[in-house]
């Protein structure tokens, strides 16, 4: 059965949020969840990955220890959801001062390693040079997706030169300085709202 793109994304987001909600803690203090769209993650979420950067070198989650990671999973030929989400995150980072931004590593991990080579990601992320673009083998990408509970699936496009698109969950994951996933932010949050959460993340112990 085929769903429309909007309906498909709604089903994906709903399914993922149901998993996250089921894993969440009922004792989370309200101050840790300052805005609608902020989701507390359980210890079922793992921040491990070993992928390839835009320079062709291996990049591991350990490389970002001591900084707050803001991770988004998407793909370079995404027509609408990914560009809008990344522009919101980029605008949120622009709301921070230099000292705050220096403590955050914005990371884009592809869910389409077949097409998203290091060179493709370097070109795609040229609008935001602070972003780290990561790709890798299908096995390595699948491992990262499992760790972050990310859904993605190819959808054939028989009448398009692209051949296929990729439906995927769309969340920003915030990882603390020790590499532990702490929060997920829904992609409809405004840059100003995202910036509020990023400032709080910088102050995490």
């Amino acid at each position: 059965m085929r769903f429309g793109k909007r309906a498909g994304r709604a089903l994906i987001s709903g399914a993922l949020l149901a998993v996250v909600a089921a894993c969440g803690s009922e004792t989370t203090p309200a101050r840790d969840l300052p805005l609608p769209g902020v989701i507390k993650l359980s210890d079922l979420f793992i921040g491990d990955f070993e992928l390839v950067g835009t320079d062709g070198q291996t990049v591991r989650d350990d490389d970002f220890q001591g900084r707050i990671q803001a991770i988004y999973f998407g793909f370079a030929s995404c027509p609408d959801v990914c560009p809008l989400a990344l522009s919101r995150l980029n605008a949120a980072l622009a709301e921070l001062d230099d000292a705050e931004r220096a403590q955050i590593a914005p990371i884009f991990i592809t869910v389409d390693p077949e097409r998203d080579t290091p060179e493709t990601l370097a070109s795609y992320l040229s609008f935001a040079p602070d972003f780290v673009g990561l790709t890798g083998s299908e096995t390595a990408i699948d491992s990262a997706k499992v760790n972050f509970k990310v859904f993605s699936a190819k959808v054939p496009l028989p009448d398009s030169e692209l051949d296929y698109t990729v439906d995927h969950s769309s969340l920003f994951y915030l990882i603390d300085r020790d590499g532990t996933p702490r929060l997920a932010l829904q992609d409809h949050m405004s840059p100003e709202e995202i910036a509020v959460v990023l400032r709080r993340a910088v102050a995490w112990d």
Side-chain angles (χ1 to χ4, degrees):
M1 175 179 287
R2 290 287 304 280
F3 296 96
K5 186 179 293 184
R6 183 173 299 176
R9 286 199 297 268
L11 286 172
I12 293 165
S13 297
L16 180 65
L17 292 178
V19 170
V20 175
C23 296
S25 169
E26 296 180 358
T27 61
T28 302
R31 60 183 173 80
D32 288 343
L33 304 174
L35 296 166
V38 181
I39 305 160
K40 166 92 169 163
L41 299 180
S42 78
D43 57 8
L44 296 179
F45 288 77
I46 303 169
D48 297 354
F49 56 81
E50 183 172 336
L51 299 169
V52 178
T54 55
D55 60 358
Q57 299 300 307
T58 299
V59 178
R60 300 177 178 85
D61 55 287
D62 289 346
D63 296 333
F64 303 99
Q65 289 252 332
R67 300 173 71 190
I68 302 298
Q69 298 171 60
I71 298 178
Y72 183 81
F73 287 79
F75 64 110
S77 54
C78 179
D80 43 25
V81 175
C82 300
L84 182 57
L86 292 178
S87 67
R88 284 176 172 160
L89 179 55
N90 195 42
L93 291 168
E95 295 279 326
L96 308 181
D97 63 33
D98 291 345
E100 291 168 332
R101 281 197 302 273
Q103 298 181 66
I104 297 172
I107 299 170
F108 178 84
I109 299 178
T110 184
V111 294
D112 186 14
E114 181 178 334
R115 293 186 295 205
D116 286 349
T117 64
E119 295 78 15
T120 298
L121 290 185
S123 176
Y124 181 64
L125 296 172
S126 59
F127 76 98
D130 290 338
F131 278 60
V132 177
L134 298 178
T135 186
S137 67
E138 285 199 24
T139 299
I141 293 295
D142 285 346
S143 177
K145 285 164 49 183
V146 167
N147 288 343
F148 285 88
K149 310 294 182 276
V150 169
F151 169 86
S152 72
K154 284 185 179 181
V155 178
L157 297 174
D159 300 321
S160 170
E161 293 182 359
L162 289 175
D163 188 41
Y164 66 89
T165 187
V166 184
D167 278 350
H168 62 94
S169 48
S170 181
L171 293 167
F172 305 107
Y173 297 89
L174 297 189
I175 317 303
D176 68 20
R177 300 178 195 280
D178 294 326
T180 301
R182 295 275 292 270
L183 298 176
L185 313 182
Q186 292 181 306
D187 67 354
H188 61 70
M189 294 176 67
S190 70
E192 294 77 16
E193 291 171 329
I194 296 170
V196 168
V197 184
L198 292 177
R199 285 195 181 96
R200 295 193 179 200
V202 167
W204 283 341
D205 295 332

